[in-house]
Amino acid sequence: MEIIKAEYLISSPSVDMCPKADRPEYAFIGRSNVGKSSLINALTDKKELAKVSRTPGKTQLINHFTINAKSGHSWYLVDLPGYGFAKRSQSLRKEWSKMIENYIRKRENLVNLFVLIDSRHEPQELDLEFVNQLGAWRVPFALVFTKSDKSTQREVAANVRRFLDALSESWEEPPPHFVTSAEKRTGIKQILGFISSLTANG
């Protein structure tokens, strides 16, 4: 898939205020500081599309971007607030959590949720819990292991294997997964190809 146009559309505080569900939608989520904005910018080849911040928890709303591909397909890319331990009040974190859950479970045109995992670390309980919850909700998703350029290939491969092994305790088959680097554009074509195949088959 070749993206020819990517534009910010709107930020919504709740799922019922999101744009009309008139095209396929692909959302991205992960723990704070996992490299989500950098990945979105790499996918769209626009450096400033998603705001990159050194402050965890900067994304606070459901952010929609309109994407037009050379193939003629158009879809929404959605940047969701991160889950985890951003330095915000407990009440605000609960609000975010409910907003994210409502979006994931109620957004009828959501084709796939991309869950970003930091490839530099061994499996984190919070990530495993979130992925298992998606399984309970029957939400289609894929794993995206980020920042693969920050460690050796051996370390990255070991951490990916450990994560998938941990999932195998409760999953019969592993979900689709991609190993990426926003800086080196590793895995970008593969993710866009995955989106393209889902959109074409939709």
Side-chain angles (χ1 to χ4, degrees):
M1 174 185 285
E2 183 180 344
I3 293 175
I4 57 174
K5 192 175 183 181
E7 291 183 323
Y8 167 77
L9 180 62
I10 193 172
S11 296
S12 310
S14 62
V15 66
D16 57 337
M17 296 181 74
C18 287
K20 186 177 179 181
D22 57 359
R23 67 193 72 181
E25 193 156 293
Y26 299 89
F28 292 77
I29 193 169
R31 292 182 69 168
S32 297
N33 211 25
V34 75
K36 181 160 49 74
S37 297
S38 296
L39 180 74
I40 288 172
N41 291 341
L43 287 168
T44 57
D45 204 20
K46 291 187 75 171
K47 290 182 179 179
E48 302 295 327
L49 189 69
K51 296 293 186 291
V52 179
S53 172
R54 296 187 183 279
T55 306
K58 202 69 176 176
T59 304
Q60 300 177 24
L61 300 168
I62 302 168
N63 299 304
H64 273 77
F65 301 87
T66 55
I67 307 294
N68 294 319
K70 193 173 183 179
S71 61
H73 289 118
S74 63
W75 44 280
Y76 288 129
L77 185 155
V78 181
D79 182 7
L80 292 172
Y83 57 88
F85 302 101
K87 294 180 180 178
R88 297 292 189 272
S89 68
Q90 189 172 356
S91 60
L92 189 56
R93 289 206 301 270
K94 282 185 178 179
E95 281 181 34
W96 285 354
S97 179
K98 193 63 182 174
M99 173 178 67
I100 292 167
E101 179 182 341
N102 285 338
Y103 168 82
I104 291 171
R105 301 184 74 180
K106 295 180 180 180
R107 187 66 170 166
E108 60 267 31
N109 62 327
L110 177 63
V111 178
N112 191 78
L113 180 67
F114 291 94
V115 182
L116 277 59
I117 309 292
D118 193 328
S119 69
R120 298 173 299 175
H121 307 305
E122 294 190 3
Q124 304 292 303
E125 194 62 37
L126 191 65
D127 292 325
L128 292 168
E129 286 176 2
F130 184 77
V131 167
N132 285 327
Q133 185 62 70
L134 292 177
W137 291 339
R138 298 185 179 277
V139 174
F141 71 94
L143 300 175
V144 179
F145 294 92
T146 62
K147 304 185 179 183
S148 66
D149 59 306
K150 307 299 183 186
S151 301
T152 66
Q153 287 187 337
R154 179 178 290 183
E155 289 170 335
V156 170
N159 286 334
V160 169
R161 188 180 66 251
R162 289 185 188 108
F163 196 95
L164 296 177
D165 285 348
L167 285 185
S168 68
E169 296 175 12
S170 50
W171 292 76
E172 288 184 12
E173 292 183 21
H177 68 278
F178 305 89
V179 177
T180 68
S181 162
E183 283 189 25
K184 295 189 175 181
R185 298 190 61 78
T186 307
I188 299 301
K189 283 186 179 180
Q190 288 82 356
I191 292 176
L192 289 174
F194 183 66
I195 292 174
S196 180
S197 65
L198 291 176
T199 303
N201 293 331

